[in-house]
DNA sequence: GATGCTTACGTACAAACGTACGCTTCATGT
DNA sequence: ACATGAAGCGTACGTTTGTACGTAAGCATC
Protein backbone atom coordinates (compact mmCIF):
# COMPACT_ATOMS: atom_id res chain seq x y z
CA UNK A 1 0.00 0.00 0.00
CA UNK A 2 1.39 3.30 -1.03
CA UNK A 3 0.61 6.76 0.23
CA UNK A 4 1.73 9.77 -1.66
CA UNK A 5 1.96 13.50 -1.14
CA UNK A 6 0.82 13.74 2.41
CA UNK A 7 2.44 17.11 2.70
CA UNK A 8 0.99 19.32 0.03
CA UNK A 9 0.25 22.83 1.20
CA UNK A 10 -1.11 24.01 -2.16
CA UNK A 11 -3.73 21.34 -2.21
CA UNK A 12 -6.68 23.43 -1.19
CA UNK A 13 -5.90 26.09 -3.75
CA UNK A 14 -5.36 23.47 -6.42
CA UNK A 15 -8.77 22.01 -5.75
CA UNK A 16 -10.45 25.37 -6.21
CA UNK A 17 -8.55 25.90 -9.41
CA UNK A 18 -9.58 22.48 -10.63
CA UNK A 19 -13.19 23.20 -9.78
CA UNK A 20 -13.07 26.24 -12.05
CA UNK A 21 -11.78 24.25 -14.94
CA UNK A 22 -14.35 21.54 -14.41
CA UNK A 23 -17.03 24.23 -14.41
CA UNK A 24 -15.69 25.58 -17.67
CA UNK A 25 -15.88 22.17 -19.25
CA UNK A 26 -18.94 20.56 -17.67
CA UNK A 27 -20.80 23.41 -16.06
CA UNK A 28 -22.01 23.54 -12.49
CA UNK A 29 -24.23 20.64 -13.43
CA UNK A 30 -21.21 18.43 -14.04
CA UNK A 31 -19.06 19.72 -11.23
CA UNK A 32 -18.91 16.69 -8.96
CA UNK A 33 -16.55 15.86 -6.15
CA UNK A 34 -15.08 13.02 -8.11
CA UNK A 35 -14.46 14.97 -11.27
CA UNK A 36 -12.84 17.82 -9.41
CA UNK A 37 -10.74 15.42 -7.39
CA UNK A 38 -9.45 13.79 -10.52
CA UNK A 39 -8.77 17.13 -12.20
CA UNK A 40 -6.84 18.32 -9.16
CA UNK A 41 -5.14 14.94 -8.80
CA UNK A 42 -6.17 14.53 -5.20
CA UNK A 43 -8.03 11.70 -3.50
CA UNK A 44 -11.79 11.92 -3.18
CA UNK A 45 -11.48 12.11 0.58
CA UNK A 46 -9.74 15.45 0.30
CA UNK A 47 -12.92 17.00 -0.99
CA UNK A 48 -14.94 16.64 2.13
CA UNK A 49 -11.92 17.26 4.24
CA UNK A 50 -11.17 20.67 2.79
CA UNK A 51 -14.69 21.84 1.98
CA UNK A 52 -17.99 21.70 3.76
CA UNK A 53 -19.83 20.48 0.70
CA UNK A 54 -20.05 21.03 -2.98
CA UNK A 55 -21.83 24.34 -2.64
CA UNK A 56 -19.17 25.77 -0.46
CA UNK A 57 -16.55 24.70 -2.97
CA UNK A 58 -18.50 26.40 -5.74
CA UNK A 59 -18.76 29.54 -3.67
CA UNK A 60 -15.01 29.69 -3.21
CA UNK A 61 -14.34 28.95 -6.84
CA UNK A 62 -16.64 31.70 -8.01
CA UNK A 63 -15.18 34.13 -5.50
CA UNK A 64 -11.75 33.44 -6.91
CA UNK A 65 -13.00 33.94 -10.44
CA UNK A 66 -14.73 37.21 -9.77
CA UNK A 67 -11.86 38.57 -7.73
CA UNK A 68 -9.44 37.73 -10.47
CA UNK A 69 -11.47 39.35 -13.20
CA UNK A 70 -12.20 42.45 -11.15
CA UNK A 71 -8.50 42.83 -10.51
CA UNK A 72 -7.75 42.58 -14.21
CA UNK A 73 -10.34 45.21 -14.83
CA UNK A 74 -8.98 47.54 -12.21
CA UNK A 75 -5.41 47.14 -13.33
CA UNK A 76 -6.22 47.94 -16.94
CA UNK A 77 -8.06 51.09 -16.00
CA UNK A 78 -5.63 52.26 -13.36
CA UNK A 79 -2.88 52.29 -15.92
CA UNK A 80 -4.64 54.97 -17.93
CA UNK A 81 -3.20 58.45 -17.32
CA UNK A 82 -5.97 60.52 -18.88
CA UNK A 83 -9.46 60.36 -20.33
CA UNK A 84 -8.34 59.45 -23.82
CA UNK A 85 -6.26 56.59 -22.53
CA UNK A 86 -9.12 55.47 -20.30
CA UNK A 87 -11.43 55.33 -23.27
CA UNK A 88 -8.88 53.26 -25.09
CA UNK A 89 -8.54 50.99 -22.08
CA UNK A 90 -12.26 50.33 -22.17
CA UNK A 91 -12.03 49.48 -25.85
CA UNK A 92 -9.21 47.11 -25.04
CA UNK A 93 -11.21 45.44 -22.26
CA UNK A 94 -14.05 44.82 -24.62
CA UNK A 95 -12.01 43.61 -27.57
CA UNK A 96 -9.52 41.48 -25.71
CA UNK A 97 -12.70 40.18 -24.32
CA UNK A 98 -13.20 37.10 -22.22
CA UNK A 99 -10.02 37.34 -20.25
CA UNK A 100 -8.52 34.04 -21.13
CA UNK A 101 -10.50 32.22 -23.72
CA UNK A 102 -14.01 31.02 -24.26
CA UNK A 103 -13.92 29.00 -21.05
CA UNK A 104 -13.81 32.10 -18.93
CA UNK A 105 -17.05 33.30 -20.42
CA UNK A 106 -18.71 29.98 -19.67
CA UNK A 107 -17.55 30.31 -16.10
CA UNK A 108 -18.99 33.79 -15.89
CA UNK A 109 -22.37 32.65 -17.15
CA UNK A 110 -22.36 29.82 -14.67
CA UNK A 111 -21.49 32.31 -11.97
CA UNK A 112 -24.37 34.56 -12.95
CA UNK A 113 -26.83 31.72 -13.02
CA UNK A 114 -25.60 30.24 -9.79
CA UNK A 115 -25.48 33.43 -7.80
CA UNK A 116 -28.91 34.46 -9.01
CA UNK A 117 -30.23 31.26 -7.50
CA UNK A 118 -28.23 31.61 -4.28
CA UNK A 119 -29.27 34.83 -2.57
CA UNK A 120 -26.65 34.27 0.12
CA UNK A 121 -23.98 34.75 -2.48
CA UNK A 122 -25.58 37.52 -4.49
CA UNK A 123 -22.73 39.69 -3.32
CA UNK A 124 -20.44 37.87 -5.72
CA UNK A 125 -22.16 39.46 -8.64
CA UNK A 126 -23.08 42.82 -7.18
CA UNK A 127 -19.71 43.27 -5.52
CA UNK A 128 -17.87 42.59 -8.70
CA UNK A 129 -20.00 45.06 -10.60
CA UNK A 130 -19.58 47.67 -7.90
CA UNK A 131 -15.83 47.25 -8.18
CA UNK A 132 -15.76 47.64 -11.91
CA UNK A 133 -18.02 50.64 -11.73
CA UNK A 134 -15.77 52.17 -9.15
CA UNK A 135 -12.75 51.61 -11.35
CA UNK A 136 -14.51 53.36 -14.16
CA UNK A 137 -15.48 56.27 -11.96
CA UNK A 138 -11.85 57.21 -11.61
CA UNK A 139 -12.12 58.53 -15.14
CA UNK A 140 -15.79 59.03 -15.88
CA UNK A 141 -18.94 60.38 -14.29
CA UNK A 142 -21.09 57.89 -12.40
CA UNK A 143 -23.66 57.87 -15.17
CA UNK A 144 -21.01 57.31 -17.82
CA UNK A 145 -19.50 54.57 -15.71
CA UNK A 146 -22.83 52.78 -15.46
CA UNK A 147 -23.32 53.01 -19.19
CA UNK A 148 -19.82 51.81 -20.01
CA UNK A 149 -20.01 48.97 -17.57
CA UNK A 150 -23.23 47.70 -19.06
CA UNK A 151 -21.83 48.14 -22.53
CA UNK A 152 -18.73 46.09 -21.79
CA UNK A 153 -20.86 43.25 -20.52
CA UNK A 154 -23.25 43.38 -23.44
CA UNK A 155 -20.70 43.59 -26.20
CA UNK A 156 -18.72 40.72 -24.77
CA UNK A 157 -21.73 38.51 -24.65
CA UNK A 158 -22.65 39.32 -28.20
CA UNK A 159 -19.11 38.83 -29.38
CA UNK A 160 -19.13 35.42 -27.81
CA UNK A 161 -22.43 34.37 -29.28
CA UNK A 162 -22.17 35.52 -32.81
CA UNK A 163 -18.60 34.82 -33.78
CA UNK A 164 -18.74 37.92 -36.00
CA UNK A 165 -16.98 40.28 -33.63
CA UNK A 166 -17.91 43.91 -33.44
CA UNK A 167 -14.84 45.60 -34.90
CA UNK A 168 -12.66 47.71 -32.57
CA UNK A 169 -13.33 50.79 -34.64
CA UNK A 170 -17.01 50.48 -33.97
CA UNK A 171 -16.45 49.82 -30.28
CA UNK A 172 -14.36 52.95 -30.14
CA UNK A 173 -17.18 54.95 -31.66
CA UNK A 174 -19.63 53.59 -29.13
CA UNK A 175 -17.37 54.46 -26.24
CA UNK A 176 -16.97 57.93 -27.62
CA UNK A 177 -20.71 58.33 -27.95
CA UNK A 178 -21.28 57.22 -24.38
CA UNK A 179 -18.65 59.49 -22.88
CA UNK A 180 -19.39 62.64 -24.77
CA UNK A 181 -16.03 62.65 -26.53
CA UNK B 1 -55.18 0.38 -9.01
CA UNK B 2 -56.00 3.68 -10.49
CA UNK B 3 -54.88 5.20 -13.75
CA UNK B 4 -55.43 8.81 -14.49
CA UNK B 5 -55.34 11.11 -17.43
CA UNK B 6 -54.35 8.69 -20.13
CA UNK B 7 -55.61 11.09 -22.69
CA UNK B 8 -53.70 14.30 -22.22
CA UNK B 9 -52.64 15.94 -25.45
CA UNK B 10 -50.94 18.88 -23.75
CA UNK B 11 -48.64 16.64 -21.82
CA UNK B 12 -45.53 17.11 -23.88
CA UNK B 13 -45.86 20.87 -23.83
CA UNK B 14 -46.54 20.85 -20.12
CA UNK B 15 -43.36 18.90 -19.50
CA UNK B 16 -41.29 21.45 -21.38
CA UNK B 17 -42.93 24.24 -19.46
CA UNK B 18 -42.23 22.45 -16.21
CA UNK B 19 -38.62 21.97 -17.21
CA UNK B 20 -38.26 25.71 -17.61
CA UNK B 21 -39.60 26.38 -14.18
CA UNK B 22 -37.38 23.75 -12.64
CA UNK B 23 -34.43 25.38 -14.36
CA UNK B 24 -35.43 28.73 -12.93
CA UNK B 25 -35.52 27.30 -9.46
CA UNK B 26 -32.76 24.70 -9.42
CA UNK B 27 -30.67 25.44 -12.47
CA UNK B 28 -29.66 22.99 -15.14
CA UNK B 29 -27.72 21.24 -12.40
CA UNK B 30 -30.92 20.41 -10.57
CA UNK B 31 -33.09 19.71 -13.57
CA UNK B 32 -33.72 16.00 -13.18
CA UNK B 33 -36.32 13.76 -14.75
CA UNK B 34 -37.97 13.22 -11.42
CA UNK B 35 -38.18 16.85 -10.47
CA UNK B 36 -39.58 17.85 -13.82
CA UNK B 37 -42.06 15.00 -13.75
CA UNK B 38 -43.32 16.10 -10.39
CA UNK B 39 -43.53 19.74 -11.45
CA UNK B 40 -45.49 18.78 -14.56
CA UNK B 41 -47.58 16.30 -12.58
CA UNK B 42 -46.83 13.43 -14.91
CA UNK B 43 -45.41 9.99 -14.16
CA UNK B 44 -41.67 9.50 -14.41
CA UNK B 45 -42.14 7.13 -17.31
CA UNK B 46 -43.48 9.95 -19.44
CA UNK B 47 -40.08 11.57 -19.43
CA UNK B 48 -38.28 8.94 -21.39
CA UNK B 49 -41.34 8.31 -23.46
CA UNK B 50 -41.62 11.86 -24.76
CA UNK B 51 -37.94 12.82 -24.83
CA UNK B 52 -34.76 11.12 -25.91
CA UNK B 53 -32.94 12.07 -22.77
CA UNK B 54 -32.43 14.95 -20.44
CA UNK B 55 -30.30 16.91 -22.88
CA UNK B 56 -32.90 16.78 -25.55
CA UNK B 57 -35.48 18.03 -23.08
CA UNK B 58 -33.20 20.90 -22.13
CA UNK B 59 -32.71 21.75 -25.78
CA UNK B 60 -36.44 21.99 -26.35
CA UNK B 61 -36.98 24.00 -23.21
CA UNK B 62 -34.33 26.50 -24.14
CA UNK B 63 -35.64 26.74 -27.68
CA UNK B 64 -39.05 27.60 -26.31
CA UNK B 65 -37.57 30.21 -24.03
CA UNK B 66 -35.53 31.93 -26.68
CA UNK B 67 -38.33 31.86 -29.21
CA UNK B 68 -40.68 33.38 -26.73
CA UNK B 69 -38.36 36.18 -25.77
CA UNK B 70 -37.39 36.94 -29.34
CA UNK B 71 -41.05 37.21 -30.21
CA UNK B 72 -41.65 39.64 -27.39
CA UNK B 73 -38.74 41.66 -28.61
CA UNK B 74 -39.96 41.71 -32.18
CA UNK B 75 -43.51 42.61 -31.24
CA UNK B 76 -42.43 45.54 -29.12
CA UNK B 77 -40.29 46.96 -31.88
CA UNK B 78 -42.69 46.28 -34.69
CA UNK B 79 -45.32 48.38 -32.98
CA UNK B 80 -43.17 51.49 -33.25
CA UNK B 81 -44.23 53.74 -36.14
CA UNK B 82 -41.18 56.00 -36.28
CA UNK B 83 -37.67 56.45 -34.94
CA UNK B 84 -38.71 58.31 -31.84
CA UNK B 85 -41.17 55.57 -30.92
CA UNK B 86 -38.56 52.93 -31.68
CA UNK B 87 -36.15 54.58 -29.31
CA UNK B 88 -38.82 54.62 -26.67
CA UNK B 89 -39.54 50.96 -27.35
CA UNK B 90 -35.92 50.12 -26.65
CA UNK B 91 -36.09 52.03 -23.40
CA UNK B 92 -39.19 50.08 -22.49
CA UNK B 93 -37.52 46.76 -23.31
CA UNK B 94 -34.65 47.59 -21.02
CA UNK B 95 -36.69 48.95 -18.14
CA UNK B 96 -39.47 46.44 -18.15
CA UNK B 97 -36.51 44.18 -18.14
CA UNK B 98 -36.45 40.47 -17.54
CA UNK B 99 -39.70 39.67 -19.27
CA UNK B 100 -41.47 38.05 -16.42
CA UNK B 101 -39.55 38.27 -13.21
CA UNK B 102 -36.19 37.32 -11.87
CA UNK B 103 -36.63 33.69 -12.86
CA UNK B 104 -36.53 34.51 -16.52
CA UNK B 105 -33.11 36.03 -16.13
CA UNK B 106 -31.86 32.92 -14.37
CA UNK B 107 -33.17 30.87 -17.24
CA UNK B 108 -31.37 33.09 -19.71
CA UNK B 109 -28.07 32.73 -17.90
CA UNK B 110 -28.51 29.00 -17.78
CA UNK B 111 -29.23 29.05 -21.49
CA UNK B 112 -26.08 31.03 -22.18
CA UNK B 113 -23.95 28.74 -20.09
CA UNK B 114 -25.49 25.61 -21.50
CA UNK B 115 -25.37 26.57 -25.14
CA UNK B 116 -21.79 27.75 -24.82
CA UNK B 117 -20.92 24.24 -23.69
CA UNK B 118 -23.02 22.54 -26.35
CA UNK B 119 -21.74 23.59 -29.76
CA UNK B 120 -24.55 21.67 -31.43
CA UNK B 121 -27.00 24.11 -29.97
CA UNK B 122 -24.98 27.30 -30.30
CA UNK B 123 -27.62 28.41 -32.77
CA UNK B 124 -29.98 28.99 -29.88
CA UNK B 125 -27.94 31.92 -28.74
CA UNK B 126 -26.73 33.26 -32.05
CA UNK B 127 -30.10 32.85 -33.72
CA UNK B 128 -31.85 34.72 -31.01
CA UNK B 129 -29.37 37.55 -31.21
CA UNK B 130 -29.62 37.65 -34.96
CA UNK B 131 -33.37 37.98 -34.65
CA UNK B 132 -33.23 40.80 -32.18
CA UNK B 133 -30.66 42.58 -34.25
CA UNK B 134 -32.84 42.20 -37.28
CA UNK B 135 -35.79 43.63 -35.42
CA UNK B 136 -33.71 46.62 -34.48
CA UNK B 137 -32.52 47.12 -38.03
CA UNK B 138 -36.05 47.96 -39.08
CA UNK B 139 -35.47 51.30 -37.40
CA UNK B 140 -31.74 51.75 -37.02
CA UNK B 141 -28.53 51.28 -38.98
CA UNK B 142 -26.75 47.95 -38.56
CA UNK B 143 -24.07 49.52 -36.40
CA UNK B 144 -26.64 51.22 -34.21
CA UNK B 145 -28.55 47.97 -33.95
CA UNK B 146 -25.47 46.13 -32.78
CA UNK B 147 -24.77 48.78 -30.18
CA UNK B 148 -28.34 48.86 -28.92
CA UNK B 149 -28.58 45.11 -28.77
CA UNK B 150 -25.48 44.86 -26.66
CA UNK B 151 -26.67 47.69 -24.49
CA UNK B 152 -29.99 46.05 -23.77
CA UNK B 153 -28.25 42.90 -22.66
CA UNK B 154 -25.74 44.70 -20.52
CA UNK B 155 -28.13 47.03 -18.75
CA UNK B 156 -30.49 44.19 -17.94
CA UNK B 157 -27.73 42.18 -16.38
CA UNK B 158 -26.57 45.08 -14.29
CA UNK B 159 -30.09 45.91 -13.25
CA UNK B 160 -30.54 42.37 -12.09
CA UNK B 161 -27.32 42.24 -10.13
CA UNK B 162 -27.31 45.52 -8.35
CA UNK B 163 -30.90 46.08 -7.32
CA UNK B 164 -30.31 49.79 -7.81
CA UNK B 165 -31.86 50.10 -11.23
CA UNK B 166 -30.53 52.48 -13.79
CA UNK B 167 -33.34 55.04 -14.01
CA UNK B 168 -35.36 55.23 -17.24
CA UNK B 169 -34.25 58.80 -17.80
CA UNK B 170 -30.65 57.70 -17.92
CA UNK B 171 -31.46 54.79 -20.19
CA UNK B 172 -33.19 57.20 -22.51
CA UNK B 173 -30.09 59.36 -22.63
CA UNK B 174 -27.93 56.36 -23.46
CA UNK B 175 -30.21 55.28 -26.27
CA UNK B 176 -30.15 58.79 -27.64
CA UNK B 177 -26.38 58.88 -27.50
CA UNK B 178 -26.11 55.59 -29.33
CA UNK B 179 -28.51 56.50 -32.09
CA UNK B 180 -27.34 59.99 -32.79
CA UNK B 181 -30.60 61.56 -31.68
C1' DG C 1 11.99 4.85 19.26
C1' DA C 2 7.94 5.47 21.86
C1' DT C 3 4.14 8.49 22.59
C1' DG C 4 0.36 11.35 21.54
C1' DC C 5 -1.88 14.69 18.58
C1' DT C 6 -2.99 16.59 14.18
C1' DT C 7 -3.71 16.05 9.47
C1' DA C 8 -5.41 13.65 5.69
C1' DC C 9 -7.01 9.67 3.22
C1' DG C 10 -9.54 5.11 1.61
C1' DT C 11 -13.69 3.18 1.62
C1' DA C 12 -18.30 2.09 2.31
C1' DC C 13 -23.21 3.49 2.13
C1' DA C 14 -27.62 5.34 1.35
C1' DA C 15 -29.93 8.27 -1.68
C1' DA C 16 -30.87 9.87 -6.15
C1' DC C 17 -29.97 9.48 -10.78
C1' DG C 18 -31.03 8.21 -16.07
C1' DT C 19 -32.94 4.82 -18.68
C1' DA C 20 -35.03 0.39 -20.56
C1' DC C 21 -38.75 -2.52 -21.02
C1' DG C 22 -42.94 -5.34 -20.17
C1' DC C 23 -47.53 -4.60 -19.41
C1' DT C 24 -51.88 -1.97 -19.18
C1' DT C 25 -55.17 0.90 -21.27
C1' DC C 26 -57.47 2.98 -24.90
C1' DA C 27 -59.18 3.91 -29.70
C1' DT C 28 -60.43 2.08 -33.74
C1' DG C 29 -62.22 -1.11 -37.24
C1' DT C 30 -64.95 -4.79 -37.82
C1' DA D 1 -68.91 -7.46 -28.73
C1' DC D 2 -64.56 -8.37 -29.94
C1' DA D 3 -59.82 -8.14 -31.77
C1' DT D 4 -55.85 -5.56 -32.55
C1' DG D 5 -52.29 -2.18 -32.69
C1' DA D 6 -50.64 2.08 -30.87
C1' DA D 7 -49.82 4.87 -26.95
C1' DG D 8 -48.39 5.51 -22.35
C1' DC D 9 -47.14 4.13 -17.77
C1' DG D 10 -44.98 1.59 -13.50
C1' DT D 11 -41.18 -0.39 -12.01
C1' DA D 12 -36.79 -2.15 -11.55
C1' DC D 13 -31.86 -1.96 -12.56
C1' DG D 14 -27.16 -0.53 -12.76
C1' DT D 15 -24.56 3.91 -12.02
C1' DT D 16 -23.14 7.84 -10.01
C1' DT D 17 -23.71 10.92 -6.55
C1' DG D 18 -22.53 13.39 -1.77
C1' DT D 19 -20.92 12.43 2.56
C1' DA D 20 -19.36 10.17 7.03
C1' DC D 21 -16.08 7.85 9.49
C1' DG D 22 -12.44 4.55 10.98
C1' DT D 23 -7.82 4.51 10.31
C1' DA D 24 -3.14 5.42 8.63
C1' DA D 25 0.57 8.70 8.11
C1' DG D 26 3.27 12.64 9.60
C1' DC D 27 5.42 15.28 13.16
C1' DA D 28 6.78 17.09 17.51
C1' DT D 29 8.28 15.99 22.06
C1' DC D 30 10.51 13.42 25.08
Amino acid sequence: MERKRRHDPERRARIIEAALSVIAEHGVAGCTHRRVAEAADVPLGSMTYHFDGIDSLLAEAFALLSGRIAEDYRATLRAAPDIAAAREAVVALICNGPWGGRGTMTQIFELYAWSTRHPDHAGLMSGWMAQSREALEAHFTPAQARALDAMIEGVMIHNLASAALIPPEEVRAIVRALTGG
mmCIF file of all heavy atoms in Angstrom, chain C residues 7 12 17 22 27 29:
data_model
loop_
_atom_site.group_PDB
_atom_site.id
_atom_site.type_symbol
_atom_site.label_atom_id
_atom_site.label_comp_id
_atom_site.label_asym_id
_atom_site.label_seq_id
_atom_site.Cartn_x
_atom_site.Cartn_y
_atom_site.Cartn_z
ATOM 1 P P DT C 7 -4.104 20.318 12.501
ATOM 2 O OP1 DT C 7 -3.497 21.619 12.191
ATOM 3 O OP2 DT C 7 -5.517 20.206 12.917
ATOM 4 O "O5'" DT C 7 -3.875 19.364 11.246
ATOM 5 C "C5'" DT C 7 -2.532 19.136 10.782
ATOM 6 C "C4'" DT C 7 -2.565 18.046 9.736
ATOM 7 O "O4'" DT C 7 -2.903 16.779 10.353
ATOM 8 C "C3'" DT C 7 -3.589 18.260 8.625
ATOM 9 O "O3'" DT C 7 -2.890 18.261 7.398
ATOM 10 C "C2'" DT C 7 -4.556 17.091 8.755
ATOM 11 C "C1'" DT C 7 -3.708 16.045 9.466
ATOM 12 N N1 DT C 7 -4.454 15.053 10.296
ATOM 13 C C2 DT C 7 -4.196 13.710 10.122
ATOM 14 O O2 DT C 7 -3.390 13.284 9.321
ATOM 15 N N3 DT C 7 -4.919 12.875 10.942
ATOM 16 C C4 DT C 7 -5.858 13.256 11.893
ATOM 17 O O4 DT C 7 -6.439 12.415 12.572
ATOM 18 C C5 DT C 7 -6.068 14.672 12.019
ATOM 19 C C7 DT C 7 -7.055 15.193 13.009
ATOM 20 C C6 DT C 7 -5.366 15.504 11.216
ATOM 21 P P DA C 12 -14.685 -0.915 1.248
ATOM 22 O OP1 DA C 12 -13.911 -2.121 1.578
ATOM 23 O OP2 DA C 12 -15.061 -0.628 -0.155
ATOM 24 O "O5'" DA C 12 -15.998 -0.911 2.131
ATOM 25 C "C5'" DA C 12 -15.975 -0.275 3.419
ATOM 26 C "C4'" DA C 12 -17.289 0.459 3.634
ATOM 27 O "O4'" DA C 12 -17.191 1.820 3.137
ATOM 28 C "C3'" DA C 12 -18.496 -0.164 2.923
ATOM 29 O "O3'" DA C 12 -19.576 -0.141 3.827
ATOM 30 C "C2'" DA C 12 -18.717 0.756 1.724
ATOM 31 C "C1'" DA C 12 -18.305 2.093 2.315
ATOM 32 N N9 DA C 12 -17.896 3.116 1.341
ATOM 33 C C8 DA C 12 -17.151 2.930 0.202
ATOM 34 N N7 DA C 12 -16.918 4.025 -0.479
ATOM 35 C C5 DA C 12 -17.569 5.004 0.259
ATOM 36 C C6 DA C 12 -17.697 6.395 0.073
ATOM 37 N N6 DA C 12 -17.172 7.053 -0.958
ATOM 38 N N1 DA C 12 -18.414 7.082 0.991
ATOM 39 C C2 DA C 12 -18.927 6.416 2.021
ATOM 40 N N3 DA C 12 -18.875 5.116 2.309
ATOM 41 C C4 DA C 12 -18.169 4.455 1.377
ATOM 42 P P DC C 17 -32.700 13.163 -7.922
ATOM 43 O OP1 DC C 17 -32.490 14.610 -8.052
ATOM 44 O OP2 DC C 17 -34.033 12.603 -7.672
ATOM 45 O "O5'" DC C 17 -32.071 12.464 -9.201
ATOM 46 C "C5'" DC C 17 -30.709 12.781 -9.526
ATOM 47 C "C4'" DC C 17 -30.159 11.747 -10.464
ATOM 48 O "O4'" DC C 17 -30.102 10.482 -9.791
ATOM 49 C "C3'" DC C 17 -31.035 11.452 -11.662
ATOM 50 O "O3'" DC C 17 -30.780 12.424 -12.657
ATOM 51 C "C2'" DC C 17 -30.510 10.083 -12.089
ATOM 52 C "C1'" DC C 17 -29.970 9.482 -10.784
ATOM 53 N N1 DC C 17 -30.698 8.288 -10.281
ATOM 54 C C2 DC C 17 -30.246 7.021 -10.621
ATOM 55 O O2 DC C 17 -29.260 6.927 -11.348
ATOM 56 N N3 DC C 17 -30.913 5.939 -10.156
ATOM 57 C C4 DC C 17 -31.984 6.107 -9.369
ATOM 58 N N4 DC C 17 -32.600 5.026 -8.916
ATOM 59 C C5 DC C 17 -32.453 7.404 -9.003
ATOM 60 C C6 DC C 17 -31.799 8.456 -9.484
ATOM 61 P P DG C 22 -39.099 -6.578 -22.488
ATOM 62 O OP1 DG C 22 -37.996 -7.538 -22.520
ATOM 63 O OP2 DG C 22 -39.661 -6.028 -23.748
ATOM 64 O "O5'" DG C 22 -40.290 -7.196 -21.623
ATOM 65 C "C5'" DG C 22 -40.133 -7.341 -20.200
ATOM 66 C "C4'" DG C 22 -41.440 -7.018 -19.491
ATOM 67 O "O4'" DG C 22 -41.696 -5.600 -19.527
ATOM 68 C "C3'" DG C 22 -42.677 -7.684 -20.107
ATOM 69 O "O3'" DG C 22 -43.574 -7.996 -19.050
ATOM 70 C "C2'" DG C 22 -43.240 -6.578 -21.005
ATOM 71 C "C1'" DG C 22 -42.936 -5.342 -20.173
ATOM 72 N N9 DG C 22 -42.787 -4.102 -20.935
ATOM 73 C C8 DG C 22 -42.186 -3.950 -22.172
ATOM 74 N N7 DG C 22 -42.180 -2.718 -22.597
ATOM 75 C C5 DG C 22 -42.814 -2.010 -21.583
ATOM 76 C C6 DG C 22 -43.102 -0.613 -21.489
ATOM 77 O O6 DG C 22 -42.835 0.278 -22.284
ATOM 78 N N1 DG C 22 -43.766 -0.310 -20.304
ATOM 79 C C2 DG C 22 -44.105 -1.222 -19.337
ATOM 80 N N2 DG C 22 -44.725 -0.749 -18.283
ATOM 81 N N3 DG C 22 -43.838 -2.528 -19.421
ATOM 82 C C4 DG C 22 -43.196 -2.841 -20.564
ATOM 83 P P DA C 27 -60.092 6.572 -25.493
ATOM 84 O OP1 DA C 27 -60.024 8.045 -25.328
ATOM 85 O OP2 DA C 27 -61.271 5.810 -25.041
ATOM 86 O "O5'" DA C 27 -59.830 6.261 -27.028
ATOM 87 C "C5'" DA C 27 -58.557 6.570 -27.579
ATOM 88 C "C4'" DA C 27 -58.451 6.015 -28.985
ATOM 89 O "O4'" DA C 27 -58.230 4.584 -28.919
ATOM 90 C "C3'" DA C 27 -59.698 6.218 -29.857
ATOM 91 O "O3'" DA C 27 -59.256 6.639 -31.140
ATOM 92 C "C2'" DA C 27 -60.370 4.848 -29.882
ATOM 93 C "C1'" DA C 27 -59.178 3.908 -29.704
ATOM 94 N N9 DA C 27 -59.472 2.677 -28.973
ATOM 95 C C8 DA C 27 -60.242 2.550 -27.854
ATOM 96 N N7 DA C 27 -60.306 1.321 -27.382
ATOM 97 C C5 DA C 27 -59.516 0.589 -28.259
ATOM 98 C C6 DA C 27 -59.178 -0.777 -28.314
ATOM 99 N N6 DA C 27 -59.608 -1.680 -27.414
ATOM 100 N N1 DA C 27 -58.377 -1.189 -29.318
ATOM 101 C C2 DA C 27 -57.942 -0.273 -30.202
ATOM 102 N N3 DA C 27 -58.192 1.045 -30.257
ATOM 103 C C4 DA C 27 -59.002 1.409 -29.237
ATOM 104 P P DG C 29 -61.058 3.722 -37.711
ATOM 105 O OP1 DG C 29 -60.310 4.413 -38.778
ATOM 106 O OP2 DG C 29 -62.388 4.217 -37.292
ATOM 107 O "O5'" DG C 29 -61.188 2.182 -38.100
ATOM 108 C "C5'" DG C 29 -60.007 1.370 -38.165
ATOM 109 C "C4'" DG C 29 -60.403 -0.075 -38.333
ATOM 110 O "O4'" DG C 29 -60.906 -0.599 -37.073
ATOM 111 C "C3'" DG C 29 -61.515 -0.339 -39.367
ATOM 112 O "O3'" DG C 29 -61.201 -1.542 -40.059
ATOM 113 C "C2'" DG C 29 -62.772 -0.455 -38.514
ATOM 114 C "C1'" DG C 29 -62.225 -1.111 -37.242
ATOM 115 N N9 DG C 29 -62.945 -0.816 -36.004
ATOM 116 C C8 DG C 29 -63.470 0.396 -35.606
ATOM 117 N N7 DG C 29 -64.050 0.351 -34.428
ATOM 118 C C5 DG C 29 -63.906 -0.982 -34.034
ATOM 119 C C6 DG C 29 -64.346 -1.628 -32.850
ATOM 120 O O6 DG C 29 -64.948 -1.151 -31.888
ATOM 121 N N1 DG C 29 -63.994 -2.987 -32.856
ATOM 122 C C2 DG C 29 -63.309 -3.615 -33.864
ATOM 123 N N2 DG C 29 -63.065 -4.908 -33.688
ATOM 124 N N3 DG C 29 -62.899 -3.022 -34.981
ATOM 125 C C4 DG C 29 -63.235 -1.707 -34.992
#
